[in-house]
Amino acid sequence: MKKFFDAKLRCKIHRREILNLSQKVQALHIGGSFSSVEIVDCIYNICLKKRDKFILSKGHAGIIQYVLLYYLKIISKKELNSYCQRGGYLGVHPDFGKKGINASTGSLGHGLGMVSGMALAKKDSTYFVLLSDGELHEGSVWESALIIGALNLTNIVLIIDNNDLQSSTRSSETHPNLYPISKKFKEFGWESSNCNGHSTEEIFKKIKSRKGKKPFALIAKTIKGYPVSFMKNVALWHYRSPNKNEYKQAIKEINNL
């Protein structure tokens, strides 16, 4: 279908934009940004309606949100290029009040709690929120999940970027009882499902086909650093920016997709 083909082309453009910005910044969180590209693009370009809101709880991946805001002409090229520059408009993490940013995030585990209040106050809007699987280690996430289920806030769509790789180790090794994630949300009163987080078509179809009688949690299986061969599933790329040779290789691989 054309909209999914177009999404694939956009995601290549988004990743190239991130790589270009990476040449100006020492630490970019490129791995966790690349794992989220299809999810964030699908939310902004296919799912969001006029009254809806998006909260990037995994604020360390702010660069992918900024790239989408630029693509949608909400921020300018000059503002995007000021990312992490002295006196620049954009910092590492999203700040409330900046164009297109609905909440300040970055301290892990806070996005879902903020969304619970927003969704309770304004029930005629749908609130999309993206969490990393590492955020599921925070107790605040489960307190929020519990109250969202109890209040039955059906206007919340939560997506988990399930790349199973933290800054230095795997979530499944440090917190094995977290799995299966979907089952935990169901026990807290949510509707939940799983999908391939690098397939825009799967992400969209799972969200569209939700029953809507409960809050919805979609567990999106992703690969940190995807699709660059030397970045995929390598913890080093949680923070690091590519050098010139790595940049050229990554651009080449993305262009050849």
Side-chain angles (χ1 to χ4, degrees):
M1 190 180 290
K2 186 176 183 306
K3 66 180 173 183
F4 301 125
F5 177 76
D6 290 346
K8 190 174 181 179
L9 295 180
R10 284 196 307 270
C11 289
K12 290 174 70 170
I13 294 170
H14 300 333
R15 287 191 169 95
R16 284 199 298 261
E17 195 74 63
I18 291 173
L19 282 165
N20 290 338
L21 289 164
S22 77
Q23 297 305 283
K24 303 177 183 177
V25 215
Q26 292 283 323
L28 188 73
H29 291 102
I30 196 166
S33 299
F34 271 18
S35 69
S36 305
V37 169
E38 283 79 11
I39 299 169
V40 178
D41 179 82
C42 182
I43 291 171
Y44 270 114
N45 284 301
I46 302 179
C47 297
L48 277 181
K49 296 182 174 62
K50 190 174 182 180
R51 302 175 66 89
D52 300 341
K53 303 289 184 186
F54 170 61
I55 307 296
L56 180 71
S57 186
K58 50 174 293 185
H60 57 284
I63 186 62
I64 180 57
Q65 185 173 23
Y66 300 150
V67 166
L68 262 295
L69 292 177
Y70 164 65
Y71 180 87
L72 296 169
K73 300 181 179 179
I74 295 171
I75 64 173
S76 68
K77 186 72 172 180
K78 182 179 179 182
E79 288 165 335
L80 179 64
N81 283 336
S82 75
Y83 172 75
C84 283
Q85 303 299 307
R86 187 182 296 275
Y89 182 69
L90 302 173
V92 174
H93 297 162
D95 292 318
F96 178 72
K98 298 284 177 68
K99 300 171 189 173
I101 304 297
N102 296 304
S104 296
T105 56
S107 297
L108 297 180
H110 292 173
L112 192 58
M114 287 190 278
V115 162
S116 67
M118 295 175 183
L120 180 62
K122 199 172 180 183
K123 292 188 175 179
D124 57 350
S125 297
T126 297
Y127 289 83
F128 293 82
V129 55
L130 175 61
L131 267 72
S132 66
D133 50 357
E135 290 187 271
L136 300 181
H137 304 174
E138 304 285 347
S140 55
V141 170
W142 297 105
E143 291 173 4
S144 303
L146 186 64
I147 193 65
I148 288 169
L151 295 172
N152 199 28
L153 297 176
T154 58
N155 56 336
I156 290 179
V157 175
L158 164 64
I159 303 178
I160 307 291
D161 180 354
N162 183 28
N163 61 42
D164 190 27
L165 193 60
Q166 306 168 43
S167 58
S168 60
T169 186
R170 294 200 173 278
S171 182
S172 57
E173 293 175 359
T174 59
H175 294 70
N177 293 332
L178 181 61
Y179 302 87
I181 299 171
S182 182
K183 184 172 182 286
K184 303 295 183 299
F185 279 94
K186 288 177 181 175
E187 289 172 344
F188 275 43
W190 292 55
E191 178 185 352
S192 185
S193 187
N194 296 277
C195 75
N196 175 356
H198 295 303
S199 166
T200 301
E201 184 170 0
E202 272 198 39
I203 296 166
F204 172 69
K205 287 184 175 178
K206 289 285 185 177
I207 293 173
K208 188 179 181 184
S209 64
R210 68 192 168 106
K211 296 174 183 174
K213 295 181 179 179
K214 297 178 180 179
F216 182 66
L218 180 60
I219 318 305
K221 182 61 187 145
T222 61
I223 300 170
K224 202 160 188 172
Y226 177 89
V228 179
S229 60
F230 59 87
M231 292 183 184
K232 288 193 294 185
N233 269 326
V234 179
L236 175 70
W237 293 99
H238 181 78
Y239 289 116
R240 189 168 177 265
S241 290
N243 61 34
K244 287 184 179 178
N245 289 335
E246 291 163 342
Y247 163 80
K248 290 177 182 175
Q249 178 64 27
I251 289 285
K252 183 179 178 182
E253 291 187 20
I254 288 171
N255 286 340
N256 289 336
L257 284 175

